[in-house]
């Protein structure tokens, strides 16, 4: 394993990684520092100096005695004082020697700027492995290789070759793309966004977003954490760290690229339903990460969190001086799952008494095109004070009488008076409103040109409220009636039989071991045996061909239902054998499964597909043969699945409406369903060898459930 753990558990003690020597070093060596402008080593040294770094600076260059007025050393080991951080910018072929020298000199942390490692192929990968091994040997932590560097505006230090040193701020930005990072820094300077930390993650050979999320979560200067990532190397650890971090401060992630799972797993319904990117979506949501879909959204949200309070609820008020934008904003509020606030009676009366008769006094409040600052101020004051309003969006279009500066002053006054309610603005114009917009930017009030991003940002703030709302602990009781040994024994037999797909009877046994209610199934190898089993079970029964090679049994004439006598069973046995031999002469047939025919219930699916990063994903939805067509399915990670998450999972589906009793039907046993989902999650967590599982259909009744068809594949 290349990666060291940032957080180790020793008994009950949690040791959290200390990145002080990386972002707040006492001393820095720049290896490859150069007196020549245009060289990366020149820029890095210049950046460290010009950032106002207060610690000691040691340029390292074998040919120079002094660079930029600093005594220069031929190697880090020649520096007569301790070095916390070495920033390395020498050609790839020399990096390993330099790292060894740093190790021998007792350097604590390294930033390897140099490119040409695993990103260039096998030779580079080998070099990267040696680089990590060397860091391990000397106990050094490594950022990189292939990075722009690291910036901390509060230390301050700019140990990077970025052309821009950002303003001080409260946003920590971690980026797997160096190009994206420098572009954002340049852009941020032009619009006044500030950062607490900026980290280029590069090849993530040692430290990754995981350690830096943990570090930023503990950093008092950071209010919100932003990540641009392309992959995650250690899913479970990421989830663990992100879950804790997101409860402290918002973690917003934009993830490019798609996961490698999903597509390959299309042999099960669940696998086919889980799109390639779904696992990330589910994992992020479950650990409280807010996922941004675009870079614009990422930064809009960042600014919102850095500058605005998190509202108490999702009720939005809009104050506008024109009807059209008010309607667009209203549509958007609904599209984003927010609610248009219904004003208090007193608010409506006040607005009615004081605004012109043509004004709309209900939400969205239209103060009309001729509104000057005083009318805006009055409306805003009333709306902000309304207890049914959680956040406010102010829209302004420039007409001849609009007073952008005075209106902005009124808005800023409201912000002072109602610090607990976010007030966002969309100034829909250019030059005329620029002065007002600049005032807002200076005062840290998010201001947009159009309403949609303002409302998207409020929606992000509200989503975070839900993250904070998650109770501590998982609320789960220990499950009773779990027989792990029984499952192991069945797997043992299956593997001995050289199979990966379980027979229905075996899968049903496994379900029983975990208390998953399933219709009884017995394997019979002759017509008489089938008839005898059916006699024992009680009629009616169903017969299904037992063959691991046949996934869709109905398609090959391998299923007979509603058999009421021993004679019918014998007959059906023979017919199934003939059908299957006709369709699939090569298929190995183990016999025929006799299953108790269950009364019809609401048809559901519970399934599992395994994601390469995050492990098993549990699916729940409407079942039956149209499952892939209807796609009424919700997903959750099995890992740490809580009772609360299961409840949310159920509620997300249309099936839930059916289960609660649709059009006079009796409600179904939702409690038994939630318990079964938990049991399936427990089973697949306990047995990583289960690669896929589908229970389709599960019949849900007024009392209890019954799994009718269980498919389990192991690897
Ligand atoms: N110790 C200290 N200094 C050393 C050294 C050593 N062992 N070996 C060489 N140097 C000095 C060189 O003498 C040179 O100084 P000079 O300018 O005074 O001659 C300096 O280090 C740099 O070496 P040089 O051979 O000139 O390399 P370079 O500057 O052309 O390239 C990198 C070095 C690291 C910039 C280059 O290899 C690289 O990786 N570039 C891509 C960086 C990148 O894109 N990173 C990812 C961003 S997302």
């Amino acid at each position: 394993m290349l990666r060291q753990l940032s957080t180790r558990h020793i008994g009950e003690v949690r040791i959290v990684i200390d990145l002080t020597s990386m972002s707040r070093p006492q001393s820095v060596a720049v290896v490859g520092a150069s007196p020549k402008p245009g060289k990366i080593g020149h820029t890095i040294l210049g950046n460290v100096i010009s950032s106002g770094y207060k610690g000691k600076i040691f340029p390292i260059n074998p040919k120079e005695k002094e660079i930029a007025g600093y005594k220069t050393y031929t190697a880090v080991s020649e520096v007569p004082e301790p070095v916390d951080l070495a920033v390395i910018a020498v050609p790839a072929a020399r990096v390993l020697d330099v790292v060894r020298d740093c190790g021998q000199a007792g350097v604590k942390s390294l930033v390897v700027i140099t490119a040409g490692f695993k990103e260039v192929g096998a030779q580079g990968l080998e070099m990267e492995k040696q680089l990590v091994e060397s860091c391990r040997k000397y106990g050094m932590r490594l950022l990189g290789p292939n990075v722009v560097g690291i910036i901390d505006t509060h230390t301050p230090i700019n140990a990077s070759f970025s052309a821009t040193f950002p303003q001080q701020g409260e946003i920590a930005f971690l980026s797997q793309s160096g190009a994206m990072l420098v572009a954002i820094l340049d852009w941020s300077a032009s619009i006044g966004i500030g950062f607490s930390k900026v980290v280029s993650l590069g090849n993530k050979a040692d430290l990754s977003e995981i350690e830096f999320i943990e570090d930023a979560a503990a950093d008092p200067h950071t209010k919100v954490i932003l990540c641009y990532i392309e992959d995650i190397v250690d899913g479970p650890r990421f989830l663990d760290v992100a879950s804790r971090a997101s409860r402290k401060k918002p973690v917003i992630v934009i993830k490019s690229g798609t996961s490698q799972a999903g597509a390959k797993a299309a042999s099960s319904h669940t696998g086919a339903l889980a799109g390639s990117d779904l696992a990330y979506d589910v994992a992020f949501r479950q650990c409280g990460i807010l996922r941004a879909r675009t870079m614009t959204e990422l930064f809009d949200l960042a600014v919102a969190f850095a500058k605005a309070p998190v509202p108490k609820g999702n009720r939005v008020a809009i104050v506008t001086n024109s009807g059209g934008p008010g309607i667009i904003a209203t549509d958007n509020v609904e599209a984003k799952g927010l609610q248009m606030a219904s004003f208090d009676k007193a608010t409506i009366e006040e607005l009615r008494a004081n605004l012109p008769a043509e004004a709309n006094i209900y939400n969205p409040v239209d103060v009309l095109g001729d509104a000057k600052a005083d009318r805006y101020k009055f409306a805003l004051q009333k709306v902000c004070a309304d207890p049914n309003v959680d956040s406010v969006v102010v829209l302004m279009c420039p007409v001849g009488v609009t007073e952008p500066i005075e209106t902005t002053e009124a808005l800023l006054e409201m912000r002072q008076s109602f610090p607990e309610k976010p007030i966002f603005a969309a100034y829909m114009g250019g030059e005329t409103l620029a002065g007002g917009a600049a005032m807002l930017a200076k005062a840290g009030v998010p201001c947009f040109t159009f309403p949609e991003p303002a409302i998207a940002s409020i929606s992000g703030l509200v989503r975070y409220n839900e993250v904070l709302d998650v109770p501590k602990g998982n609320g789960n009781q220990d499950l009773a009636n779990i027989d792990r040994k029984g499952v192991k024994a069945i797997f043992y037999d299956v593997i001995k039989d050289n199979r990966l797909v379980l027979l229905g009877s075996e899968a049903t046994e496994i379900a029983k071991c975990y208390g998953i209610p399933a219709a009884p199934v017995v394997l019979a190898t002759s017509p008489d045996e089938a008839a005898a089993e059916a006699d024992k079970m009680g009629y009616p029964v169903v017969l299904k061909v037992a063959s691991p090679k046949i996934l869709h049994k109905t398609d090959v004439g391998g299923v007979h239902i509603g058999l009421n006598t021993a004679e019918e069973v014998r007959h059906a046995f023979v017919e199934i054998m003939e059908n299957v031999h006709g369709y699939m002469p090569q298929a190995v047939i183990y016999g025929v499964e006799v299953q108790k025919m269950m009364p019809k219930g609401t048809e559901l699916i519970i399934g599992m597909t395994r994601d390469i990063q995050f492990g098993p994903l549990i699916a729940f939805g409407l079942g039956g043969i149209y499952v892939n067509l209807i796609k009424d399915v919700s997903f959750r990670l099995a890992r740490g699945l809580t009772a609360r998450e299961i409840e949310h999972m159920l509620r997300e589906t249309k099936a839930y409406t059916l289960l609660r009793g649709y059009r006079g039907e009796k409600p179904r046993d939702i409690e038994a369903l939630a318990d079964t989902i938990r049991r399936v999650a427990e089973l697949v967590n306990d047995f990583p060898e289960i690669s896929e599982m589908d229970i389709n259909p599960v019949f849900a009744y007024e009392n209890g459930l019954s799994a009718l068809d269980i498919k389990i594949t192991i690897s």
Side-chain angles (χ1 to χ4, degrees):
M1 201 168 96
L2 279 180
R3 193 163 297 276
Q4 269 178 8
L5 292 183
S6 70
T7 311
R8 285 175 290 137
H9 297 273
I10 298 174
E12 283 304 301
V13 185
R14 185 190 287 279
I15 300 172
V16 178
I17 189 174
D18 180 8
L19 293 180
T20 309
S21 58
M22 184 80 68
S23 54
R24 291 179 292 285
Q26 300 287 321
S27 52
V28 176
V30 179
V31 187
S34 168
K36 297 169 197 149
K39 304 285 297 251
I40 284 187
H42 179 85
T43 306
I44 295 170
L45 180 64
N47 280 346
V48 174
I49 297 167
S50 65
S51 62
Y53 175 62
K54 308 244 168 23
K56 297 207 165 146
I57 302 172
F58 306 110
I60 311 293
N61 182 312
K63 294 179 292 186
E64 306 290 334
K65 296 256 174 304
E66 186 187 293
I67 305 176
Y70 287 82
K71 180 170 168 43
T72 300
Y73 297 87
T74 52
V76 175
S77 52
E78 296 299 315
V79 177
E81 296 176 57
V83 173
D84 272 0
L85 174 68
V87 186
I88 300 174
V90 298
R94 301 202 180 152
V95 167
L96 288 174
D97 285 342
V98 170
V99 168
R100 213 167 295 124
D101 181 61
C102 287
Q104 282 158 3
V107 171
K108 291 180 186 145
S109 289
L110 301 179
V111 175
V112 177
I113 304 284
T114 311
F117 287 84
K118 84 169 177 204
E119 78 281 5
V120 297
Q123 207 181 336
L125 177 66
E126 187 44 44
M127 231 161 46
E128 189 163 310
K129 279 186 185 160
Q130 289 175 24
L131 172 61
V132 175
E133 272 162 25
S134 191
C135 288
R136 292 280 137 80
K137 180 171 165 194
Y138 295 106
M140 296 184 288
R141 294 315 301 251
L142 163 71
L143 172 61
N146 192 23
V147 297
V148 173
I150 183 167
I151 295 172
D152 189 311
T153 60
H154 292 268
T155 301
I157 184 168
N158 181 0
S160 81
F161 66 93
S162 159
T164 317
F165 185 58
Q167 284 179 26
Q168 217 173 53
E170 295 161 311
I171 301 170
F173 180 38
L174 322 174
S175 175
Q176 200 170 342
S177 157
M180 187 75 82
L181 183 142
V182 290
I184 294 292
L185 287 188
D186 202 40
W187 166 78
S188 71
S190 67
I191 59 156
I193 293 183
F195 292 89
S196 51
K197 291 166 183 292
V198 178
V199 182
S200 164
L201 297 168
N203 291 7
K204 306 195 282 192
D206 175 26
L207 297 170
S208 72
E209 62 283 339
I210 300 177
E211 291 79 11
F212 287 101
I213 287 176
E214 192 165 33
D215 180 57
D219 174 28
H221 301 298
T222 298
K223 225 172 141 185
V224 44
I225 303 168
L226 296 197
C227 293
Y228 166 88
I229 45 177
E230 290 160 6
D231 60 4
I232 288 172
V233 256
D234 184 344
R237 203 157 62 85
F238 176 87
L239 292 175
D240 184 37
V241 168
S243 299
R244 278 184 281 119
S246 68
R247 263 86 196 171
K248 285 192 194 157
K249 46 190 86 167
V251 182
I252 311 168
V253 173
I254 185 162
K255 152 85 180 62
S256 65
T258 48
S259 125
Q260 300 148 43
K264 71 160 180 48
S267 63
S268 71
H269 285 301
T270 309
L273 285 163
S276 56
D277 196 44
L278 182 115
Y280 277 101
D281 233 20
V282 172
F284 286 172
R285 195 172 37 181
Q286 231 165 304
C287 68
I289 283 179
L290 304 176
R291 184 171 190 178
R293 294 288 168 183
T294 61
M295 289 304 286
T296 317
E297 195 189 352
L298 183 74
F299 279 89
D300 284 351
L301 282 174
V303 173
F305 279 108
K307 304 292 182 194
V310 175
K312 296 212 163 54
N314 67 350
R315 301 164 303 174
V316 182
I318 292 163
V319 179
T320 175
N321 66 347
S322 56
I327 298 170
I328 290 178
T330 303
D331 288 349
N332 233 266
V333 163
E334 273 160 28
K336 287 281 173 194
L338 302 169
Q339 219 184 313
M340 285 296 279
S342 297
F343 297 145
D344 214 42
K345 228 167 149 193
T347 309
I348 293 171
E349 288 316 318
E350 292 263 26
L351 292 174
R352 195 196 311 279
N354 290 283
L355 294 184
E358 302 78 20
N360 186 26
I361 52 169
Y362 300 100
N363 199 8
V365 179
D366 186 350
V367 291
L368 302 177
D370 62 350
K372 294 196 176 140
D374 57 343
R375 205 187 289 163
Y376 258 112
K377 184 174 174 180
F378 178 81
L380 264 173
Q381 218 280 327
K382 295 297 158 206
V383 161
C384 288
D386 192 305
N388 299 329
V389 171
D390 299 313
S391 51
V392 180
V393 179
V394 182
L395 307 179
M396 181 159 46
C397 293
V399 290
V401 296
T402 310
E403 297 175 335
I405 301 293
E406 294 79 356
T407 308
T408 305
E409 280 167 358
L411 193 156
L412 291 176
E413 209 183 307
M414 290 310 122
R415 198 165 178 244
Q416 295 278 325
S417 307
F418 300 95
E420 75 290 358
K421 296 194 183 183
I423 306 178
F424 284 35
Y427 282 7
M428 301 177 62
E431 227 15 60
T432 318
L433 303 177
M439 280 167 71
L440 290 179
K442 197 159 166 233
V445 176
C447 181
F448 303 90
T449 312
F450 297 110
E452 292 90 338
I455 287 156
S457 300
I458 292 180
S459 152
L461 294 176
V462 171
R463 270 194 284 159
Y464 187 58
N465 227 345
E466 287 159 17
V467 173
L468 294 177
D469 197 31
V470 173
K472 285 217 166 76
N474 61 20
N476 287 345
Q477 313 272 324
D478 275 351
L479 289 172
N481 303 329
I482 302 277
D483 175 10
R484 294 186 175 86
K485 275 191 188 147
V487 175
K488 270 190 198 149
I490 296 168
F491 284 152
Y492 180 79
D493 288 345
V494 173
I495 289 162
K496 228 171 67 185
D497 193 33
N498 258 329
R499 276 186 289 127
L500 295 177
V501 179
L502 272 66
L503 300 176
S505 48
E506 293 161 338
T508 303
E509 277 308 306
I510 284 181
K512 270 199 212 152
C513 291
Y514 266 68
I516 298 163
V521 177
V522 188
L523 182 68
T525 50
S526 70
D528 284 341
E529 196 185 342
E533 291 296 348
D535 274 344
K536 258 194 263 165
M537 216 173 255
Y539 294 95
V541 296
V542 177
L543 257 54
K544 300 178 191 173
V545 63
S547 168
K549 285 272 176 257
I550 303 172
L551 287 176
H552 303 292
K553 296 172 183 145
T554 316
D555 298 354
V556 294
V559 180
H560 273 240
I561 62 169
L563 307 170
N564 284 309
T565 62
E567 203 38 50
E568 280 178 24
V569 168
R570 281 192 200 92
H571 191 72
F573 188 104
V574 175
E575 212 167 286
I576 284 175
M577 287 300 177
E578 282 172 6
N579 286 344
V580 175
H581 278 306
Y583 277 104
M584 297 183 76
Q586 314 297 340
V588 180
I589 299 171
Y590 283 71
V592 165
E593 286 158 7
V594 184
Q595 184 178 45
K596 177 98 182 130
M597 180 139 168
M598 304 305 285
K600 189 105 179 112
T602 306
E603 274 189 80
L604 305 170
I605 179 170
I606 300 171
M608 186 280 294
T609 184
R610 211 166 264 279
D611 181 76
I612 203 159
Q613 300 288 1
F614 301 109
L617 274 170
I618 300 288
F620 162 76
L622 271 182
I625 52 171
Y626 301 125
V627 63
N628 290 68
L629 184 70
I630 297 170
K631 290 200 168 93
D632 176 44
V633 186
S634 60
F635 286 88
R636 288 294 184 280
L637 298 181
R639 186 176 178 275
L641 187 62
T642 62
R644 185 185 151 103
E645 280 294 342
I646 294 174
E647 191 193 324
H648 283 241
M649 183 182 190
L650 299 180
R651 282 177 192 274
E652 271 169 29
T653 60
K654 295 197 182 87
Y656 187 68
T657 311
L658 291 183
L659 294 168
R660 290 178 59 207
Y662 187 64
R663 302 193 119 198
E665 278 178 339
K666 290 261 166 52
R668 306 292 153 169
D669 194 339
I670 294 177
E671 211 176 298
L673 178 61
D675 180 68
T676 301
I677 292 175
R678 246 201 89 196
R679 287 174 183 278
V680 171
E682 183 100 351
L683 170 67
V684 297
N685 279 332
D686 286 350
F687 292 93
E689 56 268 58
I690 303 181
S691 57
E692 287 189 83
M693 179 164 177
D694 258 354
I695 313 182
N696 183 27
V698 183
F699 279 173
Y701 305 114
E702 260 179 83
N703 284 309
L705 313 175
S706 188
L708 295 199
D709 196 355
I710 309 175
K711 292 196 178 87
I712 294 178
T713 310
I714 54 172
S715 58

